[in-house]
Amino acid sequence: MFLSRAIKKIVLLPLFVMMAIMISPLHAISMTSDLPINNIFSEVANKTTPAVVYITAELIASPYNQQQQQPAAPPLDLFEQFFGPRNPGMQQQQQQQQQQKQYSQGSGFLVSVDGYILTNNHVIANTQNIVVTLVDGNEYDAEVIGTDPSTDLAVIKISDEDKEFPFLTLGNSDILSIGEWVLAIGNPLGFQTSVSAGIVSAKNRGNLNLSSYEDFIQTDAAINMGNSGGPLVNLDGKVVGINAGLASNNGGYIGIGFAIPSTMAKTVMMQLIETGTVSHGFLGASLQNVTNDLAEAFDLEAVKGAIIADIVKDGAADKSGVERGDIVLEYDDIIVENMNTFRNAIGLMEPGTETLLTIKREGKIIEVPVIIGAHPDNIASEAISASVTQKIGLIVEPLDDDAAQKLGYIDEEGTVVTSVRPQSPADIAGIRPGALIISVNHKKVNDPEEFEKALSDNDSDKALILVKQGPMTLYITLKTK
């Protein structure tokens, strides 16, 4: 993504590596602040790092990403950097092994005494055999409790009946001040339990294309590849953010990092722990930011609020009487600063929640109660048992003339994929929206009904699918049960 003409890219932070872990143990959590600043940093680091974990997971290869992914670089070896390879033959063998398997590496932190861990979704997406390493060197196999790609958050869990794990507490990111000191903790570039200090540079950053719901904290605390999922803590040792990305023109740190605010993370985390899924609210309206010109045109006192640019028929807004051209100034007496913060607030509400919108319409201030609906993604995920097609994570449509022309499938026959549920069997297999499914187990499927029947008739737990995506046509195996 381009942040400016200087071509600064927004980078998600998993690092694909294979490495051994050697970390020295530390202790648990609570904070005082009547100390010199360097002592405070040391105190916070000593009391928070025991709960920060190192996460490695084997990437699940797909026919598509195998052709696109490059083998990961090995972790930095300072000896070899200065003196050359210790054993050239062994190094070559290790490089060959690395080309055969790729690993995702990132960070996370314990949030409970019984082993729940909060991290980024992109650290564990499309992976298997997740291993968590604590600062004392102990390793644990982790299970996935739940993921939410829309916020790029995930919860995994480790277990040990004989141990109470150290854990961190989520603080209140809403009261963070610009210029406030924070520490970023994680495993950048494979260096375990690394701590960097900085300040809160900005709040409410959006439009970074890191996730669907964006309200990032910007910090100049050093964040690099591999910091993903690690905590951003204040000087009380409370987690105020989850490190998620950086702006860079070369993939490395240039002083601009981003963290998911803890208030957003807490809402998502609790739902994932309780149910394994997250249900996002949906207003059913297209929103537009208020600019200086629009504020003047709508006679607004400040450049704040969100304009209702369009209404989804029979959606929550439509049913409640919200109209195109309305300007939402507040929800439940909370001022709408901009479109992004309002959209995030709605998305984090559970479907069925009633919220009171304060709206300016044709010069008048009115209040409109709205019952928040369910996001279409929620509806799809709740219906996955309705068919095998949905169970494997696909929505498909017939290949009509318009779709054939648009996608380049002239003179082709098959079924077009219009949507792929994240982390579903189809997603893991590498199927993407726009793919053309030609056959299942060597039987042609010319429409969604034939595709569903071919999957239903499949006796095995895997099906052989012939797929064309763009110029590539290839066979893949797809888990169906």
Side-chain angles (χ1 to χ4, degrees):
M1 174 181 176
F2 297 90
L3 287 183
S4 69
R5 294 182 181 178
I7 316 180
K8 295 183 175 63
K9 299 178 182 178
I10 304 298
V11 183
L12 292 172
L13 302 176
L15 180 63
F16 303 117
V17 295
M18 296 179 69
M19 53 179 49
I21 311 302
M22 292 296 293
I23 310 174
S24 40
L26 292 169
H27 275 278
I29 295 158
S30 166
M31 184 59 209
T32 59
S33 57
D34 52 346
L35 295 169
I37 191 68
N38 59 325
N39 290 347
I40 293 176
F41 288 165
S42 179
E43 193 77 12
V44 174
N46 287 337
K47 294 180 179 179
T48 55
T49 52
V52 180
V53 304
Y54 171 64
I55 299 172
T56 57
E58 182 183 344
L59 286 168
I60 299 173
S62 73
Y64 292 119
N65 62 32
Q66 275 181 335
Q67 297 183 27
Q68 297 172 359
Q69 291 175 343
Q70 298 297 321
L76 180 64
D77 188 316
L78 297 180
F79 180 92
E80 293 186 357
Q81 180 180 2
F82 290 103
F83 300 106
R86 290 182 171 90
N87 185 328
M90 181 179 295
Q91 185 184 53
Q92 183 178 5
Q93 182 180 2
Q94 290 173 343
Q95 289 175 346
Q96 291 174 348
Q97 291 174 347
Q98 287 170 352
Q99 292 176 6
Q100 295 172 2
K101 285 187 178 182
Q102 293 184 347
Y103 288 78
S104 173
Q105 176 264 324
S107 308
F109 59 97
L110 287 146
V111 294
S112 70
V113 70
D114 55 345
Y116 285 98
I117 293 169
L118 185 60
T119 186
N120 285 139
N121 175 68
H122 72 263
V123 170
I124 63 165
N126 298 330
T127 65
Q128 60 189 0
N129 303 326
I130 301 170
V131 176
V132 168
T133 305
L134 306 188
V135 295
D136 60 10
N138 286 321
E139 294 185 356
Y140 297 88
D141 293 330
E143 63 172 318
V144 177
I145 299 301
T147 64
D148 183 34
S150 295
T151 56
D152 192 23
L153 291 168
V155 173
I156 61 178
K157 189 177 187 301
I158 58 177
S159 298
D160 188 336
E161 295 180 356
D162 300 324
K163 185 168 184 174
E164 292 187 352
F165 295 105
F167 64 93
L168 299 179
T169 302
L170 296 183
N172 185 359
S173 56
D174 290 343
I175 62 175
L176 271 179
S177 300
I178 306 301
E180 182 174 342
W181 282 107
V182 287
L183 301 183
I185 310 174
N187 307 285
L189 302 174
F191 291 103
Q192 287 79 56
T193 321
S194 177
V195 180
S196 60
I199 62 170
V200 175
S201 305
K203 297 172 64 177
N204 307 125
R205 291 297 195 208
N207 301 316
L208 304 180
N209 291 334
L210 293 180
S211 58
S212 299
Y213 297 99
E214 298 187 333
D215 188 25
F216 289 103
I217 300 164
Q218 180 184 326
T219 179
D220 66 351
I223 292 176
N224 282 288
M225 306 278 285
N227 269 115
S228 275
L232 187 73
V233 302
N234 62 16
L235 296 191
D236 290 325
K238 299 290 182 65
V239 178
V240 292
I242 293 81
N243 303 322
L246 64 133
S248 177
N249 51 15
N250 59 11
Y253 168 73
I254 61 171
I256 303 175
F258 300 102
I260 300 166
S262 58
T263 49
M264 177 186 290
K266 186 174 184 178
T267 300
V268 173
M269 180 187 75
M270 295 308 297
Q271 287 193 59
L272 291 177
I273 291 175
E274 291 173 3
T275 68
T277 60
V278 177
S279 296
H280 290 288
F282 189 60
L283 183 62
S286 297
L287 303 175
Q288 184 178 349
N289 258 327
V290 175
T291 63
N292 283 303
D293 290 341
L294 289 172
E296 183 178 347
F298 282 99
D299 194 26
L300 299 176
E301 296 179 359
V303 187
K304 293 183 178 182
I307 302 172
I308 303 295
D310 201 3
I311 301 289
V312 176
K313 185 178 180 182
D314 296 327
D318 187 29
K319 292 177 180 178
S320 302
V322 177
E323 298 178 3
R324 180 187 294 170
D326 286 348
I327 298 96
V328 183
L329 303 177
E330 298 179 4
Y331 66 96
D332 298 331
D333 296 325
I334 300 172
I335 295 174
V336 175
E337 296 291 340
N338 53 56
M339 174 197 75
N340 195 51
T341 56
F342 179 57
R343 178 177 176 272
N344 289 339
I346 295 297
L348 293 176
M349 294 180 184
E350 292 189 21
T353 301
E354 181 173 344
T355 185
L356 184 65
L357 303 184
T358 301
I359 286 173
K360 186 168 186 177
R361 177 186 297 169
E362 297 178 354
K364 297 180 180 180
I365 304 297
I366 62 173
E367 292 185 336
V368 179
V370 177
I371 305 296
I372 299 301
H375 194 280
D377 287 348
N378 301 151
I379 297 171
S381 64
E382 290 167 2
I384 59 174
S385 61
S387 68
V388 182
T389 305
Q390 289 178 322
K391 184 176 180 180
I392 62 175
L394 290 180
I395 297 178
V396 296
E397 292 183 357
L399 178 65
D400 57 24
D401 292 339
D402 290 340
Q405 187 71 35
K406 181 179 179 181
L407 298 172
Y409 297 141
I410 307 300
D411 298 328
E412 299 278 2
E413 293 182 340
T415 302
V416 177
V417 175
T418 59
S419 178
V420 182
R421 192 172 71 252
Q423 297 191 25
S424 63
D427 182 35
I428 293 171
I431 298 176
R432 300 292 177 258
L436 182 69
I437 298 175
I438 300 171
S439 69
V440 177
N441 296 331
H442 304 294
K443 294 180 180 179
K444 290 186 176 181
V445 288
N446 294 326
D447 55 48
E449 289 73 22
E450 290 184 1
F451 180 53
E452 171 68 21
K453 186 176 188 305
L455 291 175
S456 300
D457 292 344
N458 182 48
D459 294 330
S460 174
D461 61 350
K462 290 183 180 179
L464 181 64
I465 313 290
L466 180 61
V467 178
K468 182 171 185 177
Q469 185 152 309
M472 293 191 303
T473 302
L474 68 163
Y475 286 98
I476 64 173
T477 57
L478 180 62
K479 188 173 182 180
T480 59
K481 296 180 182 178

